[in-house]
Amino acid sequence: MDDLQPGKRVVVRYSLEHGDTHSTSDALGVVNSADETSVEIGTKRGPIRIPREQIMLVHEVPPAPTKSGRTHEIVSAVDLRRISAAAWLPQDISWLHMENLRNESAETDADIGLLQKGWLLRSSESVTRRANSCLPVTDTGMDWEQSLDAVEAWYSARQKPSCIQIYSSEDSNSLAPACEGLAPLLSARGYSPSEPVFLLAGSTAEAAAGAAHPGDAAAPGLSIDVSEEPSPMHYAAWASERDPGSQEAFRGLIEASDPCQFITAYADHPDGSRSMVAGARIVERSKWGVLTNLVTRPDLRRRGAGRSVASAAAALLSQRGVRSYLIDVEAGNEASLNLFTSLGATVRHRSWYASRG
């Protein structure tokens, strides 16, 4: 059952046996761990372990709302960061939590799954920061200093400098509770923050701007293509924007997620040929759309190609019943910030990559 992957928020209906009678119960929460025989769901009442043979139905649900309002406005910063991270995961990841450390050191033959709570550690031969940083999500079961020590040891074992992705709860400079104890430690240890990265969230229906299908979003002179795999033109465009590091590792990041699709705007020429003008990657996670790798040809910017791709991606998501999307945009990228705010998206919070040499 793909919906029983650790980290997903689900409703699980399962059977109960009471003598000769049979009844059912539901568990709502995040999948903590899963193996071949059972699944642990973290619910408000505490963790519940359910044998797989008793599971009758699994349904993935969006993150729990934190207040009333439209769907894209009521999800917490930590859940938005979790959704964003799930769309860009390298192969080398680990969850820093005291229980995981105990399980690793325990002398047992039991197949104990890695609990997906604590801080997410990510490492890749690609140089992208999101794939090479630690993301605080929940309490690690250790104090702040012990947690940071463990992060530094993990990256040191990979001969890499440690990097922490810290973030705010709202559109402000005040860190979220999952990160707030790090500020003085990072400063004392010589970490420097990057420029802010804004996470914007919006309604897919609003961003589609009336387009019922992706192709309807094309500006005059352009056509929209939806594909399951990127082309060499996509990789060339992404590499022209910034050095991706290892091409193989970057390709793994781009193509690993499922479902994952690529929205491309092409300019159609009189001789029947066409050239790529803009493109983006869209991943569906936790009933949200995550838009990444939006790129437009430098000589054709401000002509509607980027807007066409963004609206086409939103139309595709809306077709599937996905009501909300998010995108991370660097503070210096005014063109993208203006584009998505004009499509109705709002800044939900900020993040910074704190690193040292």
Side-chain angles (χ1 to χ4, degrees):
M1 298 182 182
D2 290 338
D3 284 339
L4 288 175
Q5 295 175 353
K8 287 191 174 184
R9 187 168 183 261
V10 297
V11 172
V12 177
R13 176 157 294 176
Y14 59 101
S15 63
L16 300 171
E17 297 185 6
H18 300 285
D20 295 331
T21 63
H22 297 273
S23 59
T24 62
S25 183
D26 292 334
L28 169 63
V30 175
V31 180
N32 286 337
S33 62
D35 55 34
E36 294 181 356
T37 61
S38 64
V39 176
E40 182 182 286
I41 309 295
T43 72
K44 287 185 176 180
R45 303 186 304 273
I48 298 175
R49 184 158 289 278
I50 306 170
R52 281 188 178 265
E53 61 186 16
Q54 293 177 216
I55 295 176
M56 304 171 63
L57 177 69
V58 178
H59 180 63
E60 185 181 6
V61 295
T66 59
K67 56 185 176 181
S68 60
R70 295 194 295 175
T71 305
H72 64 277
E73 298 173 336
I74 59 178
V75 174
S76 69
V78 69
D79 279 326
L80 291 173
R81 284 266 53 95
R82 188 193 287 269
I83 293 168
S84 178
W88 194 253
L89 282 178
Q91 289 189 341
D92 187 8
I93 66 169
S94 185
W95 283 89
L96 176 62
H97 192 275
M98 179 60 74
E99 291 182 45
N100 287 331
L101 296 176
R102 289 193 187 114
N103 291 340
E104 288 175 3
S105 61
E107 294 183 2
T108 176
D109 293 331
D111 183 13
I112 301 174
L114 186 69
L115 299 179
Q116 294 213 0
K117 59 183 180 179
W119 293 4
L120 175 61
L121 303 168
R122 303 166 290 191
S123 177
S124 170
E125 293 306 310
S126 168
V127 298
T128 58
R129 295 179 299 182
R130 199 178 346 175
N132 286 284
S133 58
C134 167
L135 176 68
V137 179
T138 64
D139 182 65
T140 64
M142 301 178 283
D143 64 33
W144 295 103
E145 191 161 1
Q146 289 174 319
S147 299
L148 186 54
D149 287 343
V151 170
E152 292 176 349
W154 195 83
Y155 283 102
S156 177
R158 287 156 178 76
Q159 299 183 331
K160 290 185 175 183
S162 54
C163 178
I164 319 289
Q165 187 180 13
I166 53 178
Y167 54 94
S168 64
S169 293
E170 306 289 344
D171 181 15
S172 72
N173 289 327
S174 298
L175 292 183
C179 308
E180 60 186 358
L182 278 169
L185 285 178
L186 293 174
S187 178
R189 297 192 187 190
Y191 285 76
S192 299
S194 68
E195 70 170 349
V197 179
F198 296 122
L199 185 143
L200 292 89
S203 158
T204 57
E206 187 174 356
H213 305 281
D216 298 340
L222 301 179
S223 59
I224 295 292
D225 179 71
V226 179
S227 59
E228 302 294 327
E229 296 181 356
S231 71
M233 285 187 288
H234 288 88
Y235 283 108
W238 292 325
S240 70
E241 289 287 299
R242 62 183 62 183
D243 177 15
S246 164
Q247 294 289 339
E248 182 180 353
F250 183 67
R251 182 178 293 274
L253 285 167
I254 289 287
E255 300 182 15
S257 296
D258 183 31
C260 176
Q261 290 180 298
F262 301 87
I263 315 296
T264 311
Y266 289 100
D268 300 310
H269 304 299
D271 62 0
S273 64
R274 63 179 187 172
S275 55
M276 176 180 165
V277 180
R281 171 181 177 267
I282 191 77
V283 178
E284 186 179 331
R285 284 290 179 269
S286 300
K287 301 299 181 183
W288 276 67
V290 182
L291 189 64
T292 72
N293 302 92
L294 176 63
V295 63
T296 304
R297 268 181 53 176
D299 59 328
L300 294 175
R301 287 174 180 163
R302 303 185 187 278
R303 299 187 183 183
R307 177 176 293 271
S308 296
V309 167
S311 293
L316 177 65
L317 290 165
S318 187
Q319 273 186 325
R320 295 177 181 163
V322 178
R323 298 165 63 184
S324 305
Y325 73 95
L326 64 82
I327 181 170
D328 286 290
V329 180
E330 294 181 357
N333 190 345
E334 292 187 10
S336 287
L337 290 172
N338 291 337
L339 167 60
F340 286 100
T341 53
S342 73
L343 292 174
T346 56
V347 176
R348 291 297 313 281
H349 70 262
R350 308 176 188 185
S351 66
W352 301 262
Y353 291 92
S355 60
R356 64 180 183 181

